[in-house]
Amino acid sequence: MGQSDFKPIGMKIIYPWVDLENKLVEARIEQEGNIKMEVITDLKTGEQNQEGNWDDIIQLSPSMTEEDYLKMFQEWASVFIENGISNPKQYFEQYQ
């Protein structure tokens, strides 16, 4: 059998704000404190506005495509809005 080495790439996904009333959720992909991508999901319209470049992100994590990330952001936005979660950081901290 082969051996795999897993090493952290310093990339993390955060959800800095949720607007429950307008059904908007921001997701950010950060690496070493630098914002690589910002995506605002609008659950009313289904639109996702993006700012950043996917190339670096996909290169660092080739098992995920742009579409995979966007789908994940959409799904988490739905979870936050449907469950009235306005502070995702606090929500995730309860499971650590």
Side-chain angles (χ1 to χ4, degrees):
M1 293 208 177
Q3 182 177 349
S4 296
D5 289 328
F6 294 97
K7 54 186 172 181
I9 57 175
M11 195 166 64
K12 65 182 177 177
I13 297 170
I14 63 168
Y15 297 88
W17 59 264
V18 173
D19 180 339
L20 295 172
E21 184 176 329
N22 293 306
K23 298 186 177 184
L24 299 168
V25 177
E26 180 181 358
R28 287 185 191 160
I29 300 175
E30 297 182 353
Q31 183 186 28
E32 298 172 357
N34 296 313
I35 298 170
K36 296 289 189 180
M37 175 63 63
E38 292 177 287
V39 177
I40 297 176
T41 300
D42 183 335
L43 288 180
K44 285 183 180 179
T45 65
E47 293 180 10
Q48 289 181 295
N49 296 314
Q50 307 168 41
E51 189 172 315
N53 187 332
W54 286 106
D55 294 340
D56 291 342
I57 296 164
I58 303 303
Q59 188 174 23
L60 287 169
S61 181
S63 63
M64 295 270 292
T65 66
E66 175 182 343
E67 291 79 21
D68 292 332
Y69 282 105
L70 292 174
K71 181 179 177 186
M72 178 178 60
F73 297 156
Q74 179 84 26
E75 289 170 353
W76 275 111
S78 293
V79 167
F80 298 145
I81 299 300
E82 290 171 11
N83 293 289
I85 298 167
S86 60
N87 187 337
K89 181 179 179 185
Q90 184 179 23
Y91 172 78
F92 288 123
E93 284 174 351
Q94 73 181 338
Y95 297 108
Q96 292 181 347

XYZ file of all heavy atoms in Angstrom:
794
model
N 0.826 -1.180 0.000
C 0.000 0.000 0.000
C 0.869 1.241 0.000
O 1.951 1.253 0.558
C -0.900 0.025 1.223
C -1.926 -1.040 1.238
S -3.339 -0.456 2.183
C -4.372 -1.855 1.956
N 0.330 2.287 -0.570
C 1.038 3.558 -0.629
C 0.899 4.328 0.670
O 0.153 3.964 1.574
N 1.618 5.415 0.722
C 1.579 6.264 1.911
C 1.243 7.677 1.461
O 1.724 8.143 0.440
C 2.931 6.242 2.606
C 2.971 7.061 3.861
C 4.313 6.947 4.566
O 5.149 6.122 4.237
N 4.515 7.809 5.539
N 0.418 8.327 2.235
C 0.042 9.707 1.934
C 0.512 10.614 3.055
O 0.455 10.246 4.226
C -1.472 9.854 1.801
O -1.944 9.113 0.705
N 0.979 11.764 2.661
C 1.336 12.791 3.636
C 0.296 13.887 3.552
O 0.003 14.380 2.466
C 2.715 13.403 3.340
C 3.846 12.440 3.626
O 3.700 11.618 4.546
O 4.878 12.519 2.932
N -0.262 14.232 4.689
C -1.231 15.312 4.742
C -0.591 16.487 5.454
O -0.070 16.351 6.551
C -2.503 14.877 5.488
C -3.256 13.804 4.774
C -3.102 12.473 5.119
C -4.109 14.123 3.735
C -3.797 11.481 4.455
C -4.807 13.145 3.063
C -4.649 11.815 3.422
N -0.616 17.625 4.796
C -0.067 18.818 5.425
C -1.041 19.966 5.231
O -1.711 20.067 4.206
C 1.315 19.157 4.876
C 1.392 19.277 3.382
C 2.819 19.469 2.928
C 2.856 19.387 1.407
N 4.169 19.524 0.867
N -1.141 20.799 6.232
C -2.081 21.925 6.136
C -1.666 22.899 5.041
O -0.472 23.142 4.829
C -2.020 22.579 7.509
C -0.759 22.105 8.127
C -0.402 20.798 7.480
N -2.656 23.419 4.347
C -2.362 24.387 3.286
C -2.684 25.811 3.724
O -2.513 26.746 2.965
C -3.113 24.037 1.977
C -4.619 23.963 2.214
C -2.591 22.752 1.390
C -5.445 23.746 0.978
N -3.147 25.950 4.955
C -3.400 27.273 5.507
C -4.638 27.954 4.961
O -4.809 29.154 5.103
N -5.505 27.199 4.321
C -6.716 27.770 3.741
C -7.890 27.473 4.659
O -8.005 26.372 5.196
C -6.958 27.162 2.359
C -7.950 27.907 1.531
S -7.938 27.424 -0.216
C -8.437 25.728 -0.127
N -8.751 28.477 4.860
C -9.943 28.248 5.669
C -11.122 29.007 5.079
O -10.958 30.004 4.378
C -9.713 28.632 7.122
C -9.454 30.094 7.366
C -9.201 30.337 8.838
C -8.864 31.791 9.090
N -8.681 32.065 10.499
N -12.288 28.488 5.390
C -13.540 29.102 4.934
C -14.225 29.692 6.148
O -14.374 29.020 7.168
C -14.443 28.070 4.249
C -13.749 27.531 2.997
C -15.804 28.679 3.915
C -14.439 26.345 2.368
N -14.613 30.950 6.037
C -15.350 31.594 7.120
C -16.623 32.221 6.556
O -16.706 32.508 5.361
C -14.505 32.648 7.867
C -14.101 33.786 6.935
C -13.286 32.023 8.524
C -13.519 34.977 7.669
N -17.569 32.415 7.421
C -18.830 33.063 7.081
C -18.944 34.284 7.991
O -19.448 34.178 9.108
C -20.002 32.099 7.280
C -19.921 30.895 6.364
C -19.221 29.748 6.742
C -20.506 30.929 5.104
C -19.126 28.661 5.898
C -20.415 29.846 4.246
C -19.715 28.708 4.652
O -19.625 27.634 3.805
N -18.445 35.452 7.539
C -18.370 36.624 8.419
C -19.707 37.262 8.764
O -19.822 37.892 9.811
C -17.471 37.590 7.677
C -17.464 37.138 6.266
C -17.810 35.679 6.266
N -20.705 37.137 7.912
C -21.997 37.730 8.252
C -23.149 37.048 7.531
O -22.987 36.481 6.463
C -22.033 39.234 8.001
C -21.760 39.688 6.598
C -20.563 40.116 6.099
C -22.678 39.775 5.507
N -20.682 40.449 4.778
C -21.982 40.262 4.388
C -24.027 39.496 5.361
C -22.574 40.460 3.143
C -24.630 39.692 4.117
C -23.892 40.180 3.037
N -24.290 37.124 8.204
C -25.547 36.595 7.670
C -26.600 37.680 7.863
O -26.744 38.227 8.950
C -25.976 35.315 8.438
C -27.357 34.863 7.992
C -24.952 34.211 8.253
N -27.320 37.997 6.804
C -28.434 38.939 6.870
C -29.711 38.102 6.759
O -30.123 37.727 5.651
C -28.322 39.954 5.728
C -29.439 40.982 5.724
O -30.510 40.727 6.315
O -29.243 42.045 5.097
N -30.296 37.782 7.913
C -31.474 36.917 7.928
C -32.665 37.538 7.210
O -33.407 36.843 6.508
C -31.858 36.570 9.377
C -30.844 35.723 10.155
C -31.262 35.615 11.615
C -30.700 34.342 9.530
N -32.836 38.837 7.377
C -33.989 39.515 6.785
C -33.944 39.498 5.256
O -34.934 39.207 4.591
C -34.053 40.960 7.283
C -35.278 41.706 6.794
C -35.365 43.110 7.370
O -34.904 43.321 8.515
O -35.897 43.979 6.671
N -32.779 39.792 4.700
C -32.633 39.858 3.237
C -32.138 38.551 2.626
O -31.948 38.470 1.414
C -31.707 41.007 2.851
C -32.329 42.344 3.184
O -33.449 42.640 2.766
N -31.628 43.146 3.967
N -31.894 37.552 3.480
C -31.459 36.221 3.043
C -30.154 36.280 2.245
O -30.034 35.697 1.171
C -32.559 35.517 2.270
C -33.797 35.279 3.104
C -34.827 34.451 2.398
C -36.004 34.208 3.334
N -37.002 33.343 2.750
N -29.175 36.982 2.825
C -27.845 37.106 2.234
C -26.813 36.506 3.182
O -26.884 36.712 4.390
C -27.492 38.578 1.995
C -28.384 39.357 1.050
C -28.085 40.849 1.145
C -28.193 38.865 -0.380
N -25.839 35.785 2.620
C -24.774 35.193 3.421
C -23.453 35.383 2.679
O -23.356 35.096 1.488
C -25.019 33.682 3.662
C -23.863 33.065 4.440
C -26.338 33.459 4.385
N -22.449 35.864 3.411
C -21.117 35.994 2.819
C -20.247 34.829 3.272
O -20.238 34.467 4.445
C -20.431 37.289 3.237
C -19.048 37.413 2.609
C -18.294 38.664 2.996
O -18.828 39.500 3.743
O -17.147 38.798 2.545
N -19.530 34.258 2.312
C -18.521 33.237 2.587
C -17.184 33.771 2.080
O -17.133 34.439 1.040
C -18.859 31.935 1.869
N -16.128 33.486 2.834
C -14.783 33.893 2.421
C -13.852 32.697 2.475
O -13.917 31.893 3.394
C -14.202 34.951 3.354
C -14.802 36.296 3.216
C -14.057 37.283 4.092
N -14.793 38.531 4.160
C -14.628 39.434 5.106
N -13.738 39.238 6.064
N -15.333 40.541 5.091
N -12.987 32.630 1.495
C -11.881 31.683 1.540
C -10.639 32.510 1.810
O -10.327 33.433 1.063
C -11.743 30.895 0.225
C -13.023 30.111 -0.061
C -10.536 29.960 0.292
C -13.037 29.397 -1.398
N -9.967 32.169 2.917
C -8.768 32.897 3.308
C -7.589 31.945 3.382
O -7.747 30.768 3.699
C -8.952 33.556 4.680
C -10.037 34.602 4.711
C -10.161 35.280 6.076
O -9.486 34.852 7.038
O -10.946 36.231 6.178
N -6.431 32.497 3.081
C -5.195 31.742 3.251
C -4.189 32.642 3.937
O -3.876 33.728 3.421
C -4.633 31.244 1.921
C -3.388 30.400 2.128
C -2.722 30.005 0.846
O -2.814 30.700 -0.152
N -2.042 28.878 0.874
N -3.727 32.194 5.097
C -2.741 32.938 5.879
C -3.152 34.397 6.067
O -2.366 35.317 5.909
C -1.360 32.816 5.236
C -0.866 31.383 5.181
C 0.400 31.210 4.376
O 0.914 32.179 3.792
O 0.870 30.060 4.318
N -4.442 34.598 6.372
C -4.953 35.930 6.650
C -5.302 36.764 5.438
O -5.818 37.870 5.565
N -5.039 36.260 4.238
C -5.366 36.989 3.010
C -6.651 36.433 2.411
O -6.804 35.217 2.275
C -4.237 36.851 1.975
C -2.958 37.477 2.446
O -2.943 38.599 2.947
N -1.858 36.755 2.300
N -7.546 37.322 2.046
C -8.806 36.904 1.435
C -8.539 36.539 -0.022
O -8.078 37.358 -0.805
C -9.870 38.017 1.519
C -10.170 38.339 2.986
C -11.137 37.602 0.784
C -11.029 39.573 3.178
N -8.831 35.290 -0.363
C -8.639 34.809 -1.734
C -9.931 34.900 -2.551
O -9.894 35.077 -3.754
C -8.156 33.360 -1.733
C -6.799 33.156 -1.108
C -5.744 33.728 -2.002
C -4.351 33.362 -1.520
N -3.333 33.916 -2.393
N -11.068 34.733 -1.865
C -12.355 34.738 -2.565
C -13.438 35.164 -1.589
O -13.428 34.768 -0.426
C -12.656 33.329 -3.086
C -14.010 33.166 -3.738
S -14.276 34.153 -5.232
C -13.059 33.487 -6.336
N -14.350 35.979 -2.078
C -15.550 36.351 -1.332
C -16.749 36.008 -2.202
O -16.770 36.341 -3.377
C -15.566 37.846 -1.029
C -14.517 38.294 -0.047
C -14.529 39.797 0.154
O -14.090 40.509 -0.770
O -14.980 40.237 1.224
N -17.715 35.347 -1.599
C -18.932 34.981 -2.326
C -20.126 35.376 -1.460
O -20.224 34.963 -0.306
C -18.988 33.469 -2.627
C -20.303 33.110 -3.312
C -17.800 33.043 -3.483
N -21.002 36.175 -2.029
C -22.244 36.522 -1.338
C -23.378 35.764 -2.013
O -23.605 35.910 -3.217
C -22.505 38.041 -1.363
C -21.394 38.753 -0.604
C -23.874 38.355 -0.762
C -21.462 40.254 -0.618
N -24.036 34.935 -1.212
C -25.153 34.139 -1.711
C -26.447 34.850 -1.346
O -26.682 35.175 -0.187
C -25.124 32.727 -1.085
O -23.894 32.088 -1.443
C -26.293 31.887 -1.575
N -27.274 35.071 -2.356
C -28.583 35.690 -2.183
C -29.620 34.586 -2.353
O -29.867 34.120 -3.469
C -28.777 36.790 -3.233
C -30.087 37.542 -3.081
O -31.048 36.979 -2.513
O -30.151 38.691 -3.550
N -30.188 34.139 -1.245
C -31.151 33.044 -1.327
C -32.482 33.461 -1.936
O -33.238 32.608 -2.400
C -31.369 32.419 0.053
C -30.202 31.590 0.586
C -30.539 31.023 1.958
C -29.830 30.473 -0.368
N -32.767 34.757 -1.953
C -34.016 35.222 -2.589
C -33.952 35.039 -4.097
O -34.926 34.638 -4.720
C -34.267 36.698 -2.266
C -34.755 36.953 -0.863
C -35.055 38.429 -0.667
C -35.544 38.732 0.727
N -35.806 40.163 0.923
N -32.804 35.354 -4.697
C -32.662 35.297 -6.147
C -31.913 34.063 -6.629
O -31.962 33.736 -7.808
C -31.908 36.533 -6.672
O -30.559 36.496 -6.171
C -32.589 37.817 -6.260
N -31.168 33.413 -5.715
C -30.346 32.271 -6.104
C -29.002 32.682 -6.687
O -28.217 31.825 -7.088
N -28.734 33.984 -6.724
C -27.480 34.466 -7.302
C -26.346 34.383 -6.293
O -26.558 34.476 -5.084
C -27.629 35.918 -7.759
C -28.573 36.092 -8.921
C -28.699 37.547 -9.353
O -27.917 38.399 -8.876
O -29.582 37.822 -10.166
N -25.140 34.216 -6.833
C -23.936 34.230 -6.015
C -22.947 35.198 -6.650
O -22.439 34.947 -7.741
C -23.333 32.830 -5.902
C -24.184 31.904 -5.041
C -23.586 30.538 -4.897
O -23.472 29.819 -5.881
N -23.213 30.168 -3.684
N -22.697 36.308 -5.981
C -21.746 37.300 -6.466
C -20.370 36.954 -5.920
O -20.200 36.768 -4.720
C -22.162 38.703 -6.035
C -23.489 39.102 -6.651
O -23.706 38.912 -7.839
N -24.383 39.626 -5.840
N -19.389 36.907 -6.830
C -18.053 36.455 -6.481
C -17.033 37.558 -6.713
O -17.118 38.292 -7.684
C -17.662 35.261 -7.345
C -18.665 34.144 -7.329
C -18.390 33.115 -8.396
O -17.255 32.758 -8.632
N -19.425 32.645 -9.053
N -16.061 37.610 -5.797
C -14.946 38.530 -5.971
C -13.674 37.785 -5.586
O -13.549 37.297 -4.457
C -15.118 39.763 -5.091
C -14.094 40.838 -5.398
C -14.390 42.127 -4.658
O -15.561 42.549 -4.642
O -13.435 42.685 -4.095
N -12.765 37.661 -6.528
C -11.520 36.942 -6.298
C -11.204 36.056 -7.477
O -11.869 36.097 -8.511
N -10.172 35.238 -7.311
C -9.707 34.374 -8.388
C -9.701 32.927 -7.910
O -9.075 32.606 -6.895
C -8.292 34.816 -8.804
C -7.791 34.091 -10.023
O -8.173 32.964 -10.283
N -6.927 34.737 -10.770
N -10.372 32.075 -8.646
C -10.468 30.667 -8.262
C -9.188 29.892 -8.536
O -8.973 28.828 -7.948
C -11.630 29.994 -9.000
C -12.965 30.389 -8.483
C -13.873 31.217 -9.070
C -13.560 29.983 -7.247
N -14.978 31.348 -8.280
C -14.820 30.599 -7.158
C -13.150 29.158 -6.204
C -15.668 30.407 -6.065
C -13.995 28.968 -5.120
C -15.240 29.586 -5.057
N -8.330 30.367 -9.425
C -7.159 29.600 -9.849
C -6.285 29.152 -8.677
O -5.916 27.979 -8.576
C -6.320 30.388 -10.858
C -7.054 30.627 -12.171
O -8.021 29.892 -12.462
O -6.662 31.551 -12.907
N -5.925 30.076 -7.785
C -5.073 29.729 -6.642
C -5.757 28.725 -5.722
O -5.126 27.802 -5.201
C -4.711 30.976 -5.827
C -3.782 31.920 -6.566
O -3.143 31.488 -7.550
O -3.694 33.095 -6.152
N -7.041 28.922 -5.518
C -7.795 28.050 -4.611
C -7.850 26.636 -5.161
O -7.591 25.665 -4.439
C -9.212 28.616 -4.388
C -9.099 29.969 -3.685
C -10.078 27.643 -3.602
C -10.339 30.803 -3.750
N -8.165 26.497 -6.433
C -8.264 25.181 -7.056
C -6.896 24.508 -7.101
O -6.777 23.297 -6.902
C -8.875 25.280 -8.476
C -10.260 25.946 -8.422
C -8.935 23.920 -9.153
C -11.272 25.285 -7.521
N -5.853 25.291 -7.307
C -4.497 24.737 -7.325
C -4.112 24.186 -5.946
O -3.492 23.136 -5.838
C -3.500 25.804 -7.765
C -2.104 25.283 -8.006
C -1.193 26.342 -8.579
O -1.428 27.543 -8.433
N -0.131 25.911 -9.233
N -4.507 24.880 -4.887
C -4.199 24.431 -3.531
C -5.043 23.237 -3.107
O -4.620 22.423 -2.292
C -4.418 25.577 -2.535
C -3.389 26.683 -2.557
C -3.876 27.869 -1.728
C -2.043 26.188 -2.045
N -6.235 23.167 -3.623
C -7.171 22.110 -3.225
C -7.850 21.532 -4.473
O -9.032 21.766 -4.714
C -8.209 22.698 -2.264
O -9.100 21.715 -1.838
N -7.086 20.768 -5.279
C -7.621 20.296 -6.565
C -8.767 19.303 -6.470
O -9.424 19.026 -7.476
C -6.401 19.664 -7.244
C -5.424 19.396 -6.162
C -5.707 20.350 -5.057
N -9.060 18.784 -5.274
C -10.179 17.848 -5.150
C -11.522 18.567 -5.167
O -12.569 17.933 -5.279
C -10.044 17.023 -3.868
O -10.108 17.859 -2.738
N -11.502 19.895 -5.050
C -12.732 20.701 -5.070
C -12.705 21.623 -6.289
O -11.690 22.270 -6.553
C -12.845 21.560 -3.809
C -13.011 20.813 -2.521
S -14.722 20.516 -2.085
C -15.329 22.151 -1.735
N -13.828 21.691 -6.993
C -13.952 22.603 -8.122
C -14.656 23.880 -7.675
O -15.225 23.943 -6.573
C -14.779 21.969 -9.253
O -16.131 21.797 -8.785
C -14.203 20.637 -9.702
N -14.651 24.872 -8.534
C -15.387 26.116 -8.257
C -16.856 25.800 -7.978
O -17.449 26.332 -7.041
C -15.253 27.053 -9.459
C -16.053 28.311 -9.353
C -15.934 29.185 -10.601
O -15.012 28.991 -11.415
O -16.796 30.068 -10.757
N -17.423 24.914 -8.781
C -18.826 24.542 -8.614
C -19.063 23.864 -7.262
O -20.099 24.076 -6.629
C -19.279 23.625 -9.758
C -19.357 24.318 -11.104
C -17.987 24.503 -11.786
O -17.011 23.766 -11.448
O -17.867 25.403 -12.622
N -18.094 23.055 -6.817
C -18.214 22.407 -5.502
C -18.281 23.444 -4.389
O -19.104 23.341 -3.479
C -17.032 21.471 -5.234
C -17.004 20.245 -6.136
O -18.087 19.800 -6.595
O -15.894 19.725 -6.387
N -17.387 24.433 -4.457
C -17.384 25.494 -3.444
C -18.690 26.276 -3.461
O -19.287 26.533 -2.421
C -16.209 26.455 -3.655
C -14.893 25.928 -3.160
C -13.935 25.469 -4.044
C -14.592 25.891 -1.797
C -12.716 24.987 -3.598
C -13.373 25.412 -1.339
C -12.445 24.960 -2.248
O -11.240 24.485 -1.791
N -19.148 26.651 -4.662
C -20.376 27.440 -4.765
C -21.582 26.665 -4.238
O -22.445 27.227 -3.553
C -20.603 27.896 -6.203
C -19.585 28.916 -6.726
C -19.805 29.188 -8.202
C -19.631 30.204 -5.914
N -21.615 25.370 -4.521
C -22.711 24.538 -4.014
C -22.651 24.468 -2.492
O -23.676 24.578 -1.815
C -22.627 23.135 -4.616
C -23.744 22.229 -4.163
C -23.639 20.852 -4.788
C -24.748 19.967 -4.248
N -24.615 18.587 -4.718
N -21.444 24.300 -1.935
C -21.284 24.246 -0.483
C -21.726 25.561 0.160
O -22.433 25.570 1.165
C -19.824 23.957 -0.126
C -19.552 23.933 1.364
S -17.838 23.540 1.789
C -16.951 24.870 0.989
N -21.334 26.697 -0.441
C -21.730 28.001 0.102
C -23.241 28.161 0.063
O -23.847 28.689 0.989
C -21.058 29.145 -0.654
C -19.554 29.159 -0.548
C -18.800 29.770 -1.527
C -18.892 28.577 0.523
C -17.420 29.806 -1.437
C -17.506 28.602 0.620
C -16.765 29.220 -0.365
N -23.855 27.708 -1.010
C -25.315 27.772 -1.153
C -25.990 26.933 -0.068
O -26.960 27.369 0.559
C -25.714 27.268 -2.543
C -27.199 27.250 -2.817
C -27.729 28.579 -3.273
O -26.996 29.373 -3.843
N -28.993 28.830 -3.036
N -25.458 25.731 0.159
C -26.048 24.844 1.157
C -25.919 25.416 2.567
O -26.865 25.372 3.344
C -25.404 23.460 1.074
C -25.810 22.711 -0.187
C -25.020 21.435 -0.426
O -24.035 21.158 0.307
O -25.379 20.711 -1.370
N -24.737 25.970 2.902
C -24.566 26.563 4.234
C -25.436 27.807 4.390
O -26.000 28.047 5.458
C -23.100 26.880 4.519
C -22.373 25.688 5.051
C -21.399 24.960 4.431
C -22.582 25.055 6.314
N -20.996 23.929 5.229
C -21.702 23.962 6.392
C -23.435 25.294 7.386
C -21.647 23.126 7.511
C -23.376 24.458 8.490
C -22.490 23.389 8.549
N -25.557 28.593 3.323
C -26.432 29.767 3.387
C -27.852 29.335 3.726
O -28.516 29.946 4.569
C -26.386 30.531 2.070
N -28.307 28.270 3.106
C -29.657 27.752 3.391
C -29.783 27.313 4.842
O -30.789 27.600 5.497
C -29.977 26.568 2.475
O -30.084 26.991 1.140
N -28.763 26.632 5.353
C -28.785 26.176 6.750
C -28.888 27.376 7.689
O -29.708 27.399 8.611
C -27.532 25.333 7.084
C -27.381 25.122 8.583
C -27.581 23.998 6.357
N -28.050 28.391 7.448
C -28.052 29.562 8.321
C -29.396 30.281 8.296
O -29.956 30.605 9.342
C -26.940 30.537 7.940
C -25.540 29.971 8.063
C -24.563 30.342 7.167
C -25.205 29.073 9.062
C -23.276 29.839 7.266
C -23.914 28.550 9.173
C -22.947 28.940 8.270
N -29.912 30.534 7.104
C -31.161 31.287 6.969
C -32.346 30.489 7.519
O -33.153 31.007 8.290
C -31.406 31.690 5.498
C -30.284 32.601 4.979
C -32.772 32.329 5.328
C -30.096 33.910 5.716
N -32.453 29.227 7.131
C -33.598 28.406 7.555
C -33.635 28.181 9.063
O -34.701 27.963 9.635
C -33.582 27.065 6.821
C -33.915 27.200 5.348
C -33.703 25.918 4.569
O -33.493 24.844 5.179
O -33.736 25.994 3.324
N -32.469 28.226 9.717
C -32.397 27.971 11.153
C -32.176 29.238 11.971
O -31.929 29.171 13.175
C -31.300 26.943 11.446
C -31.651 25.585 10.884
O -32.544 24.914 11.380
N -30.979 25.195 9.817
N -32.263 30.401 11.319
C -32.143 31.668 12.033
C -30.776 31.893 12.660
O -30.669 32.521 13.707
N -29.738 31.378 12.024
C -28.371 31.503 12.558
C -27.746 32.773 12.001
O -27.424 32.849 10.813
C -27.527 30.270 12.189
C -28.142 29.022 12.805
C -26.068 30.455 12.636
C -27.585 27.713 12.279
N -27.588 33.771 12.850
C -27.021 35.043 12.390
C -25.531 35.159 12.707
O -24.869 36.078 12.226
C -27.767 36.216 13.022
O -27.659 36.150 14.437
N -24.998 34.226 13.509
C -23.591 34.265 13.874
C -22.966 32.889 13.609
O -22.862 32.063 14.523
C -23.437 34.655 15.348
C -22.006 34.877 15.745
O -21.075 34.370 15.121
N -21.806 35.638 16.800
N -22.532 32.629 12.367
C -21.969 31.319 12.038
C -20.744 30.946 12.874
O -20.575 29.783 13.213
C -21.597 31.451 10.562
C -22.518 32.492 10.044
C -22.677 33.467 11.180
N -19.912 31.933 13.228
C -18.726 31.634 14.030
C -19.137 30.996 15.361
O -18.602 29.967 15.764
C -17.913 32.900 14.280
C -16.664 32.656 15.084
C -15.873 33.925 15.296
C -14.639 33.624 16.133
N -13.888 34.797 16.472
N -20.106 31.592 16.021
C -20.606 31.055 17.288
C -21.238 29.671 17.079
O -21.057 28.765 17.882
C -21.616 32.013 17.893
C -22.136 31.619 19.238
C -23.139 32.646 19.781
O -23.749 33.395 19.023
N -23.287 32.669 21.080
N -21.949 29.520 15.984
C -22.578 28.236 15.654
C -21.525 27.141 15.538
O -21.656 26.068 16.121
C -23.383 28.367 14.351
C -23.904 27.069 13.820
C -25.035 26.469 14.377
C -23.268 26.432 12.769
C -25.528 25.265 13.891
C -23.749 25.227 12.269
C -24.863 24.649 12.840
O -25.345 23.456 12.341
N -20.445 27.386 14.775
C -19.407 26.383 14.588
C -18.610 26.125 15.870
O -18.190 24.997 16.121
C -18.463 26.774 13.449
C -19.083 26.662 12.084
C -19.138 27.756 11.244
C -19.629 25.471 11.630
C -19.713 27.667 9.989
C -20.212 25.365 10.377
C -20.247 26.467 9.549
N -18.393 27.150 16.670
C -17.620 27.007 17.907
C -18.271 26.032 18.884
O -17.574 25.373 19.655
C -17.401 28.358 18.574
C -16.349 29.190 17.877
C -16.209 30.599 18.446
O -17.037 31.017 19.291
O -15.256 31.291 18.024
N -19.580 25.930 18.852
C -20.245 25.011 19.784
C -19.913 23.558 19.491
O -20.129 22.684 20.331
C -21.748 25.243 19.782
C -22.462 24.753 18.540
C -23.953 25.035 18.561
O -24.527 25.227 19.620
N -24.567 25.057 17.400
N -19.389 23.266 18.312
C -19.060 21.891 17.934
C -17.578 21.581 18.037
O -17.136 20.511 17.663
C -19.554 21.592 16.512
C -21.060 21.680 16.427
C -21.677 22.743 15.777
C -21.863 20.704 17.008
C -23.062 22.827 15.708
C -23.242 20.775 16.939
C -23.829 21.843 16.295
O -25.190 21.927 16.236
N -16.797 22.518 18.542
C -15.348 22.281 18.664
C -15.003 21.723 20.008
O -15.583 21.938 20.999
C -14.572 23.579 18.426
C -14.680 24.028 17.003
C -13.887 25.311 16.749
O -13.454 26.003 17.667
N -13.710 25.631 15.494
